Amino acid sequence: DAGVTQSPTHLIKTRGQQVTLRCSPISGHKSVSWYQQVLGQGPQFIFQYYEKEERGRGNFPDRFSARQFPNYSSELNVNALLLGDSALYLCASSLDGGWTGNTIYFGEGSWLTVV
Amino acid sequence: GQNIDQPTEMTATEGAIVQINCTYQTSGFNGLFWYQQHAGEAPTFLSYNVLDGLEEKGRFSSFLSRSKGYSYLLLKELQMKDSASYLCAMAEDSNYQLIWGAGTKLIIKP
């Protein structure tokens, strides 16, 4: 079975540009969460989607947006990139996003560098 | 408010045992995760505790005390490949996000 897949794996953007990151969850998983991990820190929650609806949003500016498609894949968009947006962006897949003991699986991440 | 703390760095010897502690504060606790993260890679799931006690999985064990807001990850028979960061993350009742510690960098020496 394929795990959580993310694309692209690495990318470099210029300040002010826009970026779209993509995530395909594990087959059968209906929930996708996005996290930002700056070097040397733990991940910070950005969004959770379940059944194509936004179920939670972290403390990120409106430049960050996301959506989930009927096949449960997801996109994270970041507009007007800042140097501080340079980070590893992680997509997490789970059955329903809840805390019933099911595990949460992470993709390999997308490394974004803003110059 | 919510808070989660773990040591920044620990050093241990190959073949030994190491315990990584994690303390947390939250108004609505719903479980504690441990993840391993090698440099440049994504976190890998190690364990999930929601009830008090010890969960054992091979060389790795995780303990939880809800009354004390405390968890630890115990690694036995350390191998060089165990050199990594270990992150604890708590799940809360009221939302669907994980609150993460900053991670403990574990250095294994021969």
Side-chain angles (χ1 to χ4, degrees), chain A residues 1-4 26-27:
Chain A
D1 284 341
V4 182
I26 291 171
S27 178

Side-chain angles (χ1 to χ4, degrees), chain A residues 35 37 43 48 99 103-104 107, chain B residues 35 37 42 45 92 96 98 100:
Chain A
Y35 288 82
Q37 187 176 22
Q48 187 187 89
W99 312 121
T103 55
I104 304 168
Chain B
Y35 282 84
Q37 187 174 28
F45 171 80
E92 292 192 318
Y96 296 94
L98 292 177
W100 295 79

Side-chain angles (χ1 to χ4, degrees), chain A residues 3-79:
Chain A
V4 182
T5 56
Q6 291 187 244
S7 63
T9 53
H10 293 81
L11 68 165
I12 301 173
K13 290 285 189 177
T14 304
R15 276 178 296 177
Q17 284 188 314
Q18 176 265 342
V19 68
T20 298
L21 308 177
R22 297 175 176 83
C23 172
S24 293
I26 291 171
S27 178
H29 284 192
K30 298 182 179 180
S31 178
V32 168
S33 298
W34 287 95
Y35 288 82
Q36 180 198 63
Q37 187 176 22
V38 173
L39 197 63
Q41 298 181 18
Q44 297 291 317
F45 174 73
I46 310 175
F47 288 108
Q48 187 187 89
Y49 277 78
Y50 175 66
E51 290 282 14
K52 302 176 286 293
E53 297 284 328
E54 180 184 303
R55 195 156 68 170
R57 183 183 181 116
N59 188 25
F60 279 80
D62 291 344
R63 300 185 296 107
F64 288 76
S65 63
R67 54 181 176 168
Q68 187 177 33
F69 300 99
N71 66 353
Y72 303 109
S73 67
S74 178
E75 286 183 352
L76 174 70
N77 295 285
V78 187
N79 294 323

Side-chain angles (χ1 to χ4, degrees), chain B residues 9-87:
Chain B
E9 186 173 299
M10 298 182 70
T11 302
T13 305
E14 190 177 14
I17 299 173
V18 70
Q19 177 175 312
I20 303 173
N21 296 324
C22 173
T23 58
Y24 63 88
Q25 290 178 309
T26 180
S27 55
F29 177 80
N30 210 346
L32 195 292
F33 291 83
W34 282 96
Y35 282 84
Q36 180 192 61
Q37 187 174 28
H38 284 99
E41 299 181 8
T44 303
F45 171 80
L46 291 177
S47 67
Y48 172 71
N49 294 68
V50 66
L51 300 176
D52 286 357
L54 187 69
E55 298 269 348
E56 296 187 76
K57 274 187 185 180
R59 295 190 299 115
F60 292 12
S61 302
S62 57
F63 172 83
L64 177 67
S65 169
R66 295 179 64 138
S67 62
K68 295 181 179 178
Y70 167 68
S71 173
Y72 67 72
L73 180 70
L74 191 71
L75 292 77
K76 302 176 184 177
E77 301 169 14
L78 286 170
Q79 302 174 10
M80 297 304 292
K81 68 178 182 179
D82 297 329
S83 292
S85 285
Y86 291 85
L87 298 100

